[in-house]
Amino acid sequence: MPPPRLLADGLTLFEDVLPAPEQRALLAAVERWLSSGRRGALAGKAYQRPPDEWLRSGQSRETIQFGAYVKCNKVSHAAVPPLPAELARLLERLEAAAVFTAAQRPDSCCVNVYEPGCWLPPHVDSAAFDRPFFTLSLASAQRVVFGEHIGGERGEWHGELSVLMPEGSVLRLDGLAAGPWKHALPRATRRRVSLTFRKLGAESRARFEAIRQASAEAAEARRARCLAKKALRGRKPRVVAGEAGARLLWAWTMREHILARQSEVAVPASPWERRSDGAPGSCASAE
Ligand SMILES: O=C(O)CCC(=O)C(=O)O
Ligand SMILES: [Fe+2]
């Protein structure tokens, strides 16, 4: 591996980080994730396809997200799968190659699949992600433009610096290069796949975890209420595990108890029902 090249403040290019056979293996994994995503078989919001009007203009790309969900450069608590084993192994390799330290090790990845003609507008990656962050390039060498002010439109960008990202290379963004400088991807001349690895900031991760926990608890409570209602309507309870099961059992037991009490009360009460002639009933005459 050649020594890393410092291209601007905080911008470092690591070339030949991943040999060709590993690049091919990773691309094969990306194809598997893509076909699962396209048929709706990836969990949560892992697979995203840009809206049709964006695709028509070439903006954006298909994405598969692991570890954190980003939409329009905003990170949210939406559920996506954790990093798969292939990417965890890749991160070990990048750490061993001193692309990042253990403390900087990313916990999320956005796999970007650019068809020819696809581009990304100038942006600074969300501040919810720690710096530095990293992009591994596969399938074709394409350019990225950096600058405080990036001019142009619809994928024809110009800025202070244009960097070629060879296949198997990693670009590390830190310092100025990670913001306030922006970056933008000009129209891809060939299909390109990139993997953007980032570490979600501790504060955002804790906040998203709390939101997910609260909404899981609310869903569990809704389910339990719904089961309890069914039980009170006399439906035969199924065996349900966990807290919902305990609540259901409680609701069913209460129902049985109430019904038993009602029938106990109903027997002595019946003599006091009125007879058909309107006279108050008695135990003897009511039988
Ligand atoms: O594909 C790349 O090289 C960069 C992608 C990017 O800028 C992003 O996902 O924020
Ligand atoms: Fe970016």
Side-chain angles (χ1 to χ4, degrees):
M1 197 176 123
R5 286 201 289 137
L6 185 65
L7 306 171
D9 185 280
L11 189 64
T12 314
L13 182 67
F14 298 79
E15 286 171 285
D16 298 326
V17 179
L18 205 60
E22 274 92 337
Q23 291 180 38
R24 282 195 292 276
L26 196 50
L27 277 170
V30 169
E31 290 308 327
R32 284 198 303 276
W33 298 329
L34 260 188
S35 61
S36 303
R38 286 175 184 150
R39 58 169 203 276
L42 285 185
K45 293 190 175 231
Y47 171 77
Q48 297 295 317
R49 179 183 180 274
D52 283 345
E53 67 271 23
W54 285 23
L55 278 177
R56 272 193 291 278
S57 74
Q59 182 172 352
S60 201
R61 70 289 195 211
E62 277 178 294
T63 54
I64 303 156
Q65 302 190 65
F66 298 107
Y69 176 70
V70 187
K71 186 177 182 190
C72 297
N73 208 18
K74 285 201 172 52
V75 193
S76 85
H77 65 276
V80 291
L83 287 175
E86 293 89 336
L87 297 186
R89 277 198 300 273
L90 174 63
L91 288 179
E92 268 161 35
R93 185 180 193 123
L94 298 183
E95 191 180 321
V99 173
F100 48 75
T101 64
Q104 295 168 336
R105 189 184 176 126
D107 55 12
S108 77
C109 178
C110 181
V111 181
N112 307 289
V113 181
Y114 301 90
E115 295 303 331
C118 283
W119 50 272
L120 275 194
H123 66 280
V124 172
D125 283 30
S126 167
F129 290 114
D130 286 350
R131 272 54 178 153
F133 52 87
F134 315 85
T135 300
L136 170 76
S137 291
L138 297 171
S140 77
Q142 300 291 328
R143 290 194 164 271
V144 54
V145 170
F146 284 88
E148 201 167 342
H149 306 288
I150 295 182
E153 54 174 10
R154 295 166 69 91
E156 309 298 329
W157 310 118
H158 44 87
E160 275 96 325
L161 185 66
S162 163
V163 175
L164 183 72
M165 298 174 286
E167 296 159 69
S169 71
V170 173
L171 192 60
R172 180 171 74 190
L173 277 72
D174 203 354
L176 272 186
W181 273 31
K182 294 179 178 161
H183 54 279
L185 294 187
R187 287 179 184 277
T189 55
R190 284 170 52 206
R191 188 174 198 256
R192 169 172 176 263
V193 172
S194 75
L195 286 81
T196 299
F197 290 103
R198 294 175 288 209
K199 182 174 177 179
L200 195 55
E203 191 262 329
S204 301
R205 184 153 295 282
R207 191 156 43 87
F208 297 156
E209 207 41 66
I211 297 172
R212 275 197 290 265
Q213 174 84 20
S215 65
E217 279 167 12
E220 169 73 12
R222 272 198 305 278
R223 191 163 153 258
R225 275 200 303 276
C226 173
L227 287 170
K229 261 192 210 159
K230 280 186 184 165
L232 286 170
R233 273 193 240 116
R235 303 238 182 110
K236 193 172 175 222
R238 285 179 291 119
V239 177
V240 182
E243 200 183 333
R247 282 181 207 229
L248 174 59
L249 193 63
W250 178 83
W252 180 257
T253 312
M254 288 309 288
R255 174 184 181 272
E256 294 292 286
H257 178 71
I258 290 164
L259 288 179
R261 293 285 298 142
Q262 272 175 354
S263 59
E264 274 169 30
V265 172
V267 174
S270 59
W272 301 104
E273 282 164 10
R274 291 202 164 260
R275 292 193 330 216
S276 52
D277 61 4
S282 71
C283 266
S285 61
E287 295 305 294

